[in-house]
Amino acid sequence: MSAAFAMLSRMDIAKTIARVVVDVPARALSDPFDYRVPPALAAEVSVGCPVVVPFGPRHCLGYVVSLEQSSAFDDRLRDLEGVVGAPVFDEHAITHARWIAREYLAPLSESLKLFLPPGGAPRVHAEPGGGWTLVGRQMSPTSDRLVTLTGDHRPRSNAVVQRAVLAALEAGPVTVAELAAEVRGAAAAVRTLERAGAVSVSDRRRYRRPGGPNPQSTRHPHTDEQAQAITRILAMVESGGGVALLDGITGSGKTEVYLSAIEHVLAEGRSAIVLVPEISLTPQTVGRFRARLGGDVAVIHSRLSAGERFDQWQLALSGQVKVVVGARSALFAPVRDLALVIIDEEHEPSYKQGQSPRYHTRDVAEHICAVRGAVLVLGSATPSLETMTLADEGVYERLPLTRRVGGGSPAPIEVVDMAREFAEGHRSIYSRSLTQHLRSVAERGEKAVLFLNRRGFASFLLCRECGFVPTCESCSVSLTYHEDIASLQCHHCGAARPVPPTCPRCGSAYLRRFGAGTQRAETDLHTLLPGLPVIRMDADTTARKGGHEQTLRSFEALESGVLLGTQMIAKGLDYPEVTLVGVLNADSSMHVPDFRAAERTYQLLEQVAGRAGRGPAGGHVVVQTYWPDHPAVRALVMRRPALLYDEERAVRHELGFPPYGRIANIGFSGSDLRDVRSAATTTAEALRTGLPDGLTIVGPAPAPIERIKGNWRWHMLVKGPPRSDVSGALVPLLAKVAPPDGVTRVVDIDPAGML
Ligand code: ADP
Ligand code: ZN
Ligand code: ZN
């Protein structure tokens, strides 16, 4: 027995039980299971280690969440079978996962998954005779090996070469070149195995750096407001915690504040995580961080392959990088000594995860920072009403940035009443004023950005005589009109059908599209201003990997022209040469059945408008709408956010919606309407009689979208006072009324939407 091992076993002599969360995809296991740690594995095992355990007749991968001295099941315990690698998360992560599981009613195993290397878990294959094989990516950066294999493994592959490759790997570290020398055809076999997820090659996967010099890397003297904000953030870091709201208009230099704060944190050898909405995780944003912070940055986003994401994760885990930039899941990156978490555009709905665990990034970040002694900075030009209210109450520290760094005032905003345009005989989707401004852009050789909140050729058909709108029978949403294939398509379930020649309800021939799509807007623009280059950016043109990047590059390369696109152009773009911004149809987001529709409309309009006039040439914004008196439009035009926020406060206060209440949305779905309705009713009755004082039920009722993919949907709301323990109240009551087979029940705490 080695000296180190002897010492370890003396220290941990009593800790012979490993509590393990078992990774069984088919089952939502909430509780960890206890296993005996055999002496041979005692030195290797610690909290956070991936391990192999017997589970029923199977062998499963699991993660050690604690080491104990004894177990309530002492006499029935089975042995841990293998330790797969070094720890992949720390004790804090377990605290966080437990918090998430409790707060959002999720199984612990699911919450814990958030903290695991993405797409990297090896698989355990049972072998005849009781042995097992472990194949997959290595879980921790302990070596440069292709795969880590532990236990009694006998490769089962039928292909001779693959078997030879797996056998060669057992010997230890092997590069592809070495393998190829040893086994004929090994390179191809390795690729096959890699595609199958059976092995991973660590030295061929490198994250590509965006090339070329970056003008953003130049440093400017800070404005007084920036300096003040940085000082406050660093003081908070010094004192070990707190939440700040960086409340800064577009172009006020928020990113510069983030960068400086991160630089200070790095200088102390500590780490930072920067979260941005997936949609604004553009090469431009990433480039800015890389240019300033150099090789110290890992980037995690959905366009990376599983292997690339895994690599970025490992860079953080090994301490090689201290800054992680990414979408919401990057919050769980295993950086060391976390000092700062930044959530940019904190109001974005995409910070709420749409599947279990249905966590809100902002709230989880607040919890993580509190536990780890880190500071949370929320940045936005249009903070959510929730965050705004906490800042008003002094719970969050407000750090205002009221001026644009480039000096100058924001671009003036002009509202065009489209109903009036129509009445006066102008039926183009480009109003007279917008056309005029586009013409000037073309004449002066400048650039414009046009925003359209739609996908497809045109949005939906509307009968001008009777108001009929064709909708999907199984989804109760309006069908999208695709002119190129002359069909109506449901954007929920994908069902398509031909365009009817006349209105199915009244027979009128005036069945017209309402609102145009990006293709139509592009065609019309070409007709209006032939010769002016137009770059279209929507879900269709950016579907390919790197498509987003390429589209932006072609716009950058233009001398003069127009970038025309959906909401993805609203975020993060910083092109000083853009002098005109046009919103073709502000109305689409106003009609969404959600209590946040007005707030969302305002946030979107403000984002888009902020793309204009970022350079010395100034700019102009044209907003076209059928509803010019909408509070979001008025707040935007008058540059008085209070017009929107005050009205919203009044409405939400009256209805008990956030921030004046906390809500949970309980959804039911299934193919049998009666089952779904009765499950909803039964649950509602149980809650009504069982909920503590202060919590109330609204509903049950059909969901705003009553049917999706043939499934009927009902829902109800649970309302309580702000910050009340809605989850804690629901768990015991819901446990008593499980929905019947065929009905799925989903609980969404603090939902970001009602659909
Ligand atoms: P925001 O994130 O608030 O929209 P940015 O950080 O993108 O604002 O800043 C807008 C522009 O101003 C960027 O081009 C940035 O490089 C530049 N900038 C930021 N801070 C300063 C400063 N103190 N002096 C000069 N330019 C600055
Ligand atoms: Zn009609
Ligand atoms: Zn449908």
Side-chain angles (χ1 to χ4, degrees):
M1 192 188 282
S2 76
F5 180 62
M7 216 162 77
L8 252 177
S9 38
R10 252 200 313 282
M11 264 164 31
D12 284 339
I13 194 91
K15 304 227 167 174
T16 53
I17 308 292
R19 199 151 281 172
V20 174
V21 167
V22 181
D23 183 14
V24 185
R27 292 174 53 173
L29 298 170
S30 289
D31 297 320
F33 291 81
D34 288 353
Y35 292 92
R36 207 165 22 225
V37 181
L41 294 178
E44 273 180 76
V45 73
S46 55
V47 169
C49 280
V51 292
V52 177
V53 294
F55 190 73
R58 292 192 280 171
H59 308 274
C60 286
L61 192 72
Y63 300 91
V64 178
V65 294
S66 69
L67 291 170
E68 305 288 338
Q69 309 184 354
S70 62
S71 163
F73 312 98
D74 252 338
D75 47 337
R76 278 172 283 156
L77 291 188
R78 299 170 76 181
D79 278 1
L80 211 64
E81 294 182 328
V83 177
V84 177
V88 290
F89 54 76
D90 63 7
E91 310 235 4
H92 281 325
I94 298 158
T95 309
H96 305 326
R98 284 191 200 283
W99 186 87
I100 291 168
R102 186 192 181 282
E103 194 73 2
Y104 300 102
L105 277 72
L108 183 58
S109 59
E110 258 174 27
S111 310
L112 202 55
K113 268 213 176 98
L114 298 169
F115 296 87
L116 300 178
R123 264 168 280 153
V124 184
H125 295 296
E127 295 296 340
W132 47 271
T133 310
L134 185 77
V135 281
R137 301 177 192 287
Q138 60 183 58
M139 297 292 289
S140 49
T142 47
S143 71
D144 198 25
R145 297 197 320 193
L146 282 168
V147 293
T148 305
L149 299 173
T150 320
D152 175 18
H153 37 77
R154 269 161 258 150
R156 281 202 309 183
S157 163
N158 290 328
V160 178
V161 180
Q162 286 183 21
R163 200 179 307 152
V165 166
L166 285 173
L169 290 176
E170 287 176 32
V174 194
T175 66
V176 180
E178 285 165 353
L179 260 183
E182 208 173 310
V183 184
R184 243 172 114 192
V190 165
R191 276 197 298 276
T192 310
L193 287 166
E194 191 185 14
R195 269 200 303 279
V199 301
S200 72
V201 182
S202 46
D203 55 356
R204 228 180 353 97
R205 294 181 270 109
R206 281 273 173 270
Y207 182 67
R208 202 165 32 89
R209 297 266 161 84
N214 193 317
Q216 308 283 8
S217 62
T218 46
R219 256 159 242 256
H220 313 283
H222 292 139
T223 64
D224 289 348
E225 287 181 328
Q226 282 177 322
Q228 174 73 16
I230 295 164
T231 305
R232 283 305 306 147
I233 292 169
L234 295 178
M236 291 166 86
V237 168
E238 204 61 39
S239 72
V243 183
L245 166 60
L246 190 61
D247 184 359
I249 60 167
T250 321
S252 60
K254 292 187 291 296
T255 312
E256 175 57 37
V257 171
Y258 305 152
L259 287 167
S260 286
I262 294 168
E263 278 177 335
H264 281 91
V265 161
L266 284 178
E268 296 185 351
R270 303 185 66 192
S271 296
I273 291 174
V274 184
L275 305 179
V276 300
E278 178 75 44
I279 204 165
S280 58
L281 203 48
T282 60
Q284 213 184 13
T285 311
V286 172
R288 260 178 105 173
F289 281 90
R290 283 207 190 280
R292 266 290 273 285
L293 307 168
D296 238 352
V297 184
V299 181
I300 298 174
H301 58 77
S302 67
R303 295 186 303 281
L304 297 181
S305 69
E308 286 167 334
R309 235 176 298 172
F310 183 73
D311 282 354
Q312 299 297 303
W313 198 267
Q314 295 296 359
L315 287 173
L317 182 61
S318 65
Q320 281 171 272
V321 303
K322 294 197 161 57
V323 181
V324 175
V325 180
R328 60 172 183 258
S329 66
L331 175 61
F332 309 105
V335 295
R336 295 185 178 180
D337 195 5
L338 181 67
L340 187 60
V341 174
I342 291 162
I343 302 185
D344 191 30
E345 312 287 3
E346 67 87 24
H347 60 276
E348 277 294 312
S350 63
Y351 282 123
K352 185 80 193 323
Q353 166 136 305
Q355 67 207 36
S356 182
R358 295 180 155 73
Y359 66 87
H360 199 301
T361 309
R362 192 172 55 213
D363 299 324
V364 177
E366 198 175 336
H367 162 82
I368 287 181
C369 286
V371 170
R372 296 194 184 236
V375 170
L376 174 61
V377 175
L378 305 173
S380 179
T382 53
S384 63
L385 195 57
E386 286 90 329
T387 297
M388 201 73 138
T389 305
L390 288 169
D392 290 346
E393 291 169 357
V395 180
Y396 295 169
E397 178 163 346
R398 185 193 302 270
L399 306 171
L401 298 181
T402 56
R403 283 180 295 276
R404 285 197 159 192
V405 267
S409 41
I413 297 170
E414 173 191 341
V415 177
V416 176
D417 181 345
M418 291 305 276
R420 194 143 143 215
E421 284 282 305
F422 197 83
E424 291 172 7
H426 298 276
R427 302 185 169 195
S428 164
I429 54 171
Y430 295 94
S431 63
R432 286 166 287 175
S433 175
L434 184 56
T435 306
Q436 196 48 50
H437 281 97
L438 282 165
R439 200 157 276 143
S440 315
V441 163
E443 280 162 11
R444 293 199 295 254
E446 296 170 348
K447 287 186 182 178
V449 168
L450 294 177
F451 170 69
L452 189 80
N453 193 13
R454 285 284 174 217
R455 181 174 175 261
F457 190 78
S459 50
F460 53 88
L461 292 181
L462 177 133
C463 173
R464 292 284 155 96
E465 295 202 315
C466 81
F468 175 82
V469 174
T471 53
C472 174
E473 280 140 29
S474 39
C475 298
S476 64
V477 292
S478 46
L479 293 166
T480 299
Y481 175 48
H482 289 257
E483 184 162 344
D484 45 353
I485 46 173
S487 82
L488 289 169
Q489 198 178 3
C490 172
H491 276 205
H492 268 279
C493 71
R497 60 173 142 108
V499 177
T502 55
C503 172
R505 189 201 275 162
C506 75
S508 160
Y510 291 94
L511 192 62
R512 298 275 178 78
R513 53 174 171 258
F514 178 85
T518 42
Q519 284 176 38
R520 166 68 190 281
E522 186 183 9
T523 318
D524 286 9
L525 191 54
H526 281 308
T527 316
L528 212 58
L529 294 166
L532 184 66
V534 178
I535 308 279
R536 180 158 64 92
M537 180 150 135
D538 57 20
D540 297 332
T541 61
T542 58
R544 283 163 298 110
K545 188 177 172 181
H548 191 253
E549 203 168 318
Q550 264 172 29
T551 311
L552 289 179
R553 279 225 199 85
S554 21
F555 181 60
E556 268 166 54
L558 288 181
E559 187 80 19
S560 161
V562 178
L563 178 66
L564 167 71
T566 52
Q567 46 266 60
M568 62 178 70
I569 64 168
K571 316 282 161 60
L573 298 188
D574 181 18
Y575 294 121
E577 70 272 27
V578 169
T579 54
L580 172 68
V581 166
V583 179
L584 295 181
N585 178 6
D587 306 65
S588 50
S589 51
M590 297 172 181
H591 302 288
V592 178
D594 187 313
F595 70 88
R596 289 191 182 91
E599 181 187 335
R600 294 270 151 78
T601 302
Y602 173 66
Q603 286 160 345
L604 197 58
L605 291 178
E606 180 64 48
Q607 285 268 9
V608 181
R611 303 303 113 198
R614 289 167 86 92
H620 188 80
V621 179
V622 177
V623 176
Q624 305 187 151
T625 176
Y626 288 86
W627 191 353
D629 290 334
H630 190 283
V633 177
R634 284 174 41 238
L636 179 83
V637 175
M638 303 179 74
R639 304 216 170 272
R640 284 181 56 201
L643 288 178
L644 183 274
Y645 286 107
D646 289 349
E647 168 133 2
E648 277 299 286
R649 279 200 181 91
V651 174
R652 306 248 191 120
H653 194 267
E654 186 176 328
L655 300 174
F657 279 124
Y660 302 102
R662 192 166 190 202
I663 56 174
N665 191 18
I666 306 183
F668 301 82
S669 68
S671 56
D672 188 314
L673 176 58
R674 275 173 316 167
D675 284 356
V676 171
R677 196 170 37 202
S678 97
T681 313
T682 312
T683 303
E685 272 161 18
L687 293 184
R688 235 175 226 120
T689 51
L691 279 176
D693 281 354
L695 296 187
T696 55
I697 303 273
V698 183
I705 300 181
E706 231 185 303
R707 252 187 127 186
I708 290 182
K709 296 185 185 173
N711 277 322
W712 293 96
R713 305 167 79 239
W714 272 58
H715 79 142
M716 64 197 186
L717 293 181
V718 179
K719 278 191 194 174
R723 301 214 156 196
S724 52
D725 184 12
V726 174
S727 317
L730 286 178
V731 168
L733 298 173
L734 291 178
K736 285 187 222 152
V737 279
D741 284 351
V743 177
T744 308
R745 184 173 70 196
V746 163
V747 182
D748 192 2
I749 305 285
D750 305 329
M754 297 286 97
L755 301 178

